[in-house]
Amino acid sequence: MTARPAKMADDLPSEFEIVILGTGLPESIIASACSRIGQRVLHVDERNYYGGNWASFTFSGLQTWITDNKEDITSEVASYTDHISANEKCILLNNKNKTIQNIEVFSYSGSEDSDVEESGALHVNPALLTTDVTTIDPTIEAPSQKGPSADNHCKNPQKQEEKNGPGGTENADPNLLAEGDHLSDETTSTDSCPVLESSDTADTGPSSPQTNDQIASTPVTYSHIVKEGRRFNIDLVSKFLYSRGMLINLLIKSNVSRYTEFKNITRILTYYDGKIEQVPCSRADVFASKQLSMVEKRILMKFLTFCADYEQHVEEYEDHKESTFSEFLKVKRLTPNLQHFILYSIAMVSTTANTEDGLKATQHFLRCLGCYGNTPFLFPLYGLGELPQCFCRMCAVFGGIYCLHHSLQCLVVDADSNQCKAVIDSRGKRISCNYVVVEDSYLSTDVCANVCYKQISRAILITNRSVLKADSDQQISVLTVPPEADGQHSILVTELCSSTMTCMKNTYLVHLTCPSTKTTAKEDLEPVVQKLFTVNTEPEKDSEDEDLEKPRVLWALYFNMRDSSGIDRQCYVGLPDNVHVCSGPDPSFGNDRAIQQAENIFSTLYPTEEFCPPAPNPEDIIYDSECPPQDAADSGTPTESKDETSTESETILEAAEDLKEQKEE
């Protein structure tokens, strides 16, 4: 998101309708919804990047994130006691992130050479990392912050053919959504954090990125990963979007979808009987599958047909509502092979899920099929960290003020009404407000004394090839590994290729996620990593028959993330009624919990207002300067009005040209 610096943080207004602390997905959606209906929104975050635990990083950015979470860093704050009156009390907030634990990093592709520099990286100007308040001028289109690769994607194959000539497919990408199936008519990949831009294509010196042929001719090493670090966009959470899920519906309804682009997930995999298999989803896939017998194909199609409108056949499952979905599948006499496919790769529910939940999940899967492709899932280009930024941009377009690396010290509560009437920021400034929304990680241990948190185990791998070879090397895959014993959880594996703009050429970015059951994420996930991949520290010892070998791990990161979802509001001690808490990411596959939480909080704040109403398209906006002023026309002085309009239009054009020149430089 390209923003114009408006004022320093010291000059923040002293009064807002709502103050939001944290830029995660639910907080960003709430900020966008409030700003859209005309409320004055202050959105701050102690971190110097958008997204919180929903963020995405380049490879070098992830190294900084790892260092910051390993070190015990406490920010200096100004005194707040002078701003508290006699009939007020304060609730202190936490300015240290304690949601990430047990970080372990491993490099299996050569030594970590500290002298290697990232290609195309610019030295950061500290002046750009201040806590400047930022607002957005909606008259100027923001340039992409993601580099030249963003221009190589075609949202409309027909337009791309016109551009390249008849039959031209030079830059066409068949997995990108075509017009008519796209989430919006106009989508622009944007980055909400104002950062330095650099064009790798303009680099001709020794530090220029290697060409694809050069990279393909040699094994990928740690040095290669560092040099191509800007090609990576590594998510802290791993999720996909159901094509008819709550998040996609919200993106379309609010018109936020024009700020990003999506790719369809190409295949769904499962781990069964010691090998990886592709799961047939559509009718054509089922009958073309070589893994199923003809009898199994007929049984599967009959069962899926029943699930598509199971509400109309209550008699089929009424006697099994109290039993688990896995037991219901056995009652329906599905073979073990079909039970595995449906339970872990279609319904994607746990073995303890009841029958109705399993049927509902299967129905949702079927309804999402064919909407944008052969699978029901979408993935945003440049990673999931784009989504909070898209909503932040919408908030800023409608007047919201953003301030990163700027936190809140405490909530000021009126002792008589027990309502939060103001906040005091990290610089000691008192800001009055009617409502406060805070992300769970910013609450102090006193407030969370009765809260029992769960943990999420995460692993991020960079590998040299896909877990299941195919004709194309640009596969985006979902793989479910079932639990090996009772009491354990299935492990969700997502594999992203370079066309998702999340990793460099000839590598894959692999995410593993499950609810924690052991002490560290490595203990939870390493057995699966060793089962699916080759882990060694000597890349030169590749087998001559590479087709028979598993993919090799080049780099790995393990960590635990706090799961604050599902916590009842009453568990927080002493919070006023007008202070609302947003949870962090949960271990589930989708984003429905975050969307539902954001909508519930907004409905509590403004019960009569529409949640995220559609934003006007830029071409439909009529600015004041474009309207003929009636008073001036009546007074017989239209010339002055024309001059003022011309002057303002010239100013806008000049600003747009400046941004264009900055991007080219």
Side-chain angles (χ1 to χ4, degrees):
M1 179 173 69
T2 300
R4 286 185 172 183
K7 307 170 184 176
M8 293 298 293
D10 292 336
D11 297 329
L12 277 171
S14 58
E15 185 176 349
F16 288 88
E17 172 69 16
I18 181 170
V19 176
I20 301 176
L21 178 58
T23 53
L25 182 60
E27 304 96 83
S28 300
I29 294 173
I30 295 170
S32 174
C34 293
S35 178
R36 181 66 186 86
I37 64 172
Q39 302 298 334
R40 299 190 66 194
V41 178
L42 173 62
H43 201 174
V44 300
D45 200 329
E46 192 273 336
R47 305 171 180 92
N48 60 0
Y49 54 85
Y50 289 86
N53 284 347
W54 302 79
S56 300
F57 297 98
T58 63
F59 189 75
S60 62
L62 187 63
Q63 307 308 308
T64 303
W65 177 86
I66 292 171
T67 301
D68 291 344
N69 280 278
K70 283 185 174 181
E71 295 177 354
D72 189 4
I73 302 175
T74 304
S75 304
E76 294 184 3
V77 295
S79 174
Y80 63 88
T81 54
D82 296 340
H83 301 282
I84 307 296
S85 60
N87 65 332
E88 295 174 341
K89 60 180 181 179
C90 69
I91 298 177
L92 293 178
L93 297 174
N94 177 32
N95 63 351
K96 180 184 175 183
N97 183 17
K98 298 180 180 179
T99 60
I100 305 298
Q101 298 176 349
N102 306 319
I103 297 177
E104 298 181 72
V105 184
F106 303 91
S107 177
Y108 304 105
S109 56
S111 61
E112 300 185 9
D113 189 355
S114 59
D115 295 333
V116 178
E117 292 186 0
E118 186 178 72
S119 295
L122 295 178
H123 294 291
V124 179
N125 183 353
L128 296 180
L129 297 180
T130 59
T131 55
D132 285 1
V133 182
T134 55
T135 57
I136 283 191
D137 187 342
T139 63
I140 300 177
E141 182 179 356
S144 172
Q145 302 286 343
K146 295 298 184 180
S149 299
D151 299 330
N152 295 333
H153 291 277
C154 173
K155 296 188 283 292
N156 186 341
Q158 181 179 355
K159 290 183 180 179
Q160 187 68 23
E161 182 174 345
E162 294 172 359
K163 178 179 178 181
N164 295 335
T169 57
E170 179 183 355
N171 290 326
D173 189 335
N175 289 325
L176 275 172
L177 308 182
E179 189 174 29
D181 288 338
H182 209 283
L183 299 185
S184 66
D185 294 332
E186 292 184 6
T187 56
T188 304
S189 178
T190 59
D191 191 331
S192 62
C193 183
V195 296
L196 286 172
E197 296 183 38
S198 70
S199 175
D200 291 343
T201 56
D203 236 343
T204 58
S207 61
S208 297
Q210 291 179 298
T211 64
N212 293 339
D213 292 339
Q214 289 173 324
I215 295 176
S217 63
T218 57
V220 178
T221 65
Y222 183 80
S223 297
H224 292 144
I225 294 173
V226 173
K227 287 180 180 179
E228 298 292 326
R230 289 168 61 82
R231 305 293 183 190
F232 290 88
N233 286 285
I234 303 172
D235 296 319
L236 294 183
V237 295
S238 176
K239 294 178 181 290
F240 283 142
L241 286 70
Y242 279 96
S243 58
R244 289 183 179 173
M246 294 181 67
L247 181 52
I248 291 295
N249 292 340
L250 179 62
L251 288 167
I252 295 173
K253 172 193 172 185
S254 61
N255 246 351
V256 173
S257 58
R258 65 169 175 252
Y259 294 136
T260 188
E261 300 176 72
F262 295 85
K263 293 198 73 171
N264 187 248
I265 306 309
T266 57
R267 59 185 183 177
I268 298 175
L269 309 176
T270 189
Y271 188 84
Y272 181 67
D273 198 20
K275 59 183 179 180
I276 298 174
E277 298 180 355
Q278 185 165 345
V279 178
C281 297
S282 64
R283 180 186 295 269
D285 290 341
V286 169
F287 286 105
S289 174
K290 298 179 180 179
Q291 304 155 344
L292 305 177
S293 66
M294 285 303 299
V295 174
E296 285 181 316
K297 292 177 181 179
R298 291 173 182 171
I299 294 174
L300 178 60
M301 288 306 305
K302 181 179 179 181
F303 182 77
L304 294 181
T305 302
F306 156 69
C307 291
D309 57 351
Y310 72 92
E311 300 98 335
Q312 308 301 321
H313 307 281
V314 181
E315 69 281 357
E316 294 278 342
Y317 65 92
E318 189 172 17
D319 296 336
H320 306 283
K321 286 185 177 180
E322 302 300 324
S323 63
T324 63
F325 187 52
S326 59
E327 292 172 349
F328 178 71
L329 296 177
K330 295 176 183 177
V331 171
K332 301 299 285 185
R333 298 190 177 184
L334 273 70
T335 65
N337 195 20
L338 296 180
Q339 292 178 35
H340 179 92
F341 282 0
I342 293 172
L343 186 63
Y344 296 113
S345 300
I346 295 179
M348 293 185 176
V349 295
S350 67
T351 54
T352 58
N354 62 44
T355 299
E356 266 192 298
D357 289 343
L359 291 173
K360 184 177 180 180
T362 305
Q363 182 189 65
H364 184 52
F365 181 98
L366 297 173
R367 287 180 175 176
C368 294
L369 275 175
C371 188
Y372 297 110
N374 291 330
T375 71
F377 306 120
L378 300 175
F379 184 79
L381 292 185
Y382 303 104
L384 292 163
E386 289 290 293
L387 299 178
Q389 296 186 48
C390 291
F391 286 100
C392 288
R393 177 169 179 79
M394 180 63 75
C395 174
V397 165
F398 286 93
I401 294 180
Y402 280 82
C403 205
L404 295 182
H405 204 49
H406 190 92
S407 189
L408 304 179
Q409 289 191 67
C410 65
L411 310 176
V412 181
V413 180
D414 184 84
D416 298 328
S417 63
N418 196 33
Q419 294 287 299
C420 180
K421 56 192 299 187
V423 298
I424 298 177
D425 69 6
S426 54
R427 301 197 176 187
K429 182 180 180 65
R430 178 175 173 134
I431 301 171
S432 300
C433 59
N434 293 329
Y435 302 104
V436 175
V437 175
V438 57
E439 201 265 323
D440 174 271
S441 65
Y442 287 103
L443 297 176
S444 66
T445 53
D446 292 336
V447 174
C448 302
N450 297 334
V451 177
C452 182
Y453 291 111
K454 298 179 182 179
Q455 296 290 324
I456 303 171
S457 290
R458 289 278 292 114
I460 300 173
L461 314 177
I462 299 175
T463 65
N464 65 336
R465 62 181 179 84
S466 176
V467 292
L468 183 63
K469 282 200 168 184
D471 294 336
S472 170
D473 63 348
Q474 295 300 306
Q475 298 285 345
I476 312 173
S477 309
V478 181
L479 167 64
T480 306
V481 180
E484 293 185 349
D486 294 338
Q488 296 182 349
H489 299 276
S490 299
I491 295 177
L492 178 66
V493 182
T494 59
E495 184 183 68
L496 307 175
C497 60
S498 59
S499 64
T500 62
M501 304 301 170
T502 59
C503 59
M504 61 181 278
K505 282 281 187 181
N506 301 312
T507 64
Y508 287 82
L509 188 63
V510 181
H511 294 270
L512 293 88
T513 307
C514 73
S516 299
T517 57
K518 298 181 180 178
T519 306
T520 67
K522 189 171 183 289
E523 294 176 5
D524 276 326
L525 300 174
E526 189 177 38
V528 174
V529 172
Q530 293 178 342
K531 187 183 299 183
L532 302 178
F533 304 95
T534 299
V535 181
N536 61 61
T537 57
E538 299 181 10
E540 65 275 6
K541 292 187 177 180
D542 289 338
S543 172
E544 294 180 0
D545 191 1
E546 189 176 341
D547 291 339
L548 300 178
E549 275 215 351
K550 298 180 289 186
R552 187 166 58 83
V553 178
L554 307 175
W555 183 86
L557 166 66
Y558 297 90
F559 63 92
N560 289 101
M561 177 182 291
R562 177 191 292 178
D563 178 11
S564 56
S565 62
I567 296 176
D568 191 89
R569 175 68 168 72
Q570 304 303 320
C571 293
Y572 298 108
V573 178
L575 281 185
D577 294 337
N578 62 338
V579 176
H580 301 271
V581 182
C582 290
S583 61
D586 63 352
S588 67
F589 185 78
N591 299 274
D592 286 0
R593 187 188 295 271
I595 309 304
Q596 191 63 60
Q597 183 181 57
E599 185 172 0
N600 291 343
I601 291 176
F602 178 84
S603 300
T604 303
L605 300 178
Y606 307 105
T608 61
E609 297 286 352
E610 182 182 0
F611 179 62
C612 287
N617 293 316
E619 62 271 16
D620 298 332
I621 300 175
I622 300 177
Y623 301 100
D624 293 340
S625 60
E626 299 175 4
C627 300
Q630 297 298 323
D631 295 341
D634 295 340
S635 62
T637 57
T639 306
E640 295 181 7
S641 172
K642 182 178 179 180
D643 291 342
E644 291 175 1
T645 302
S646 176
T647 301
E648 185 164 350
S649 299
E650 289 174 0
T651 303
I652 293 172
L653 290 173
E654 289 173 0
E657 288 296 327
D658 290 342
L659 283 176
K660 184 177 180 181
E661 291 175 3
Q662 291 174 10
K663 182 181 179 183
E664 292 175 352
E665 291 174 359

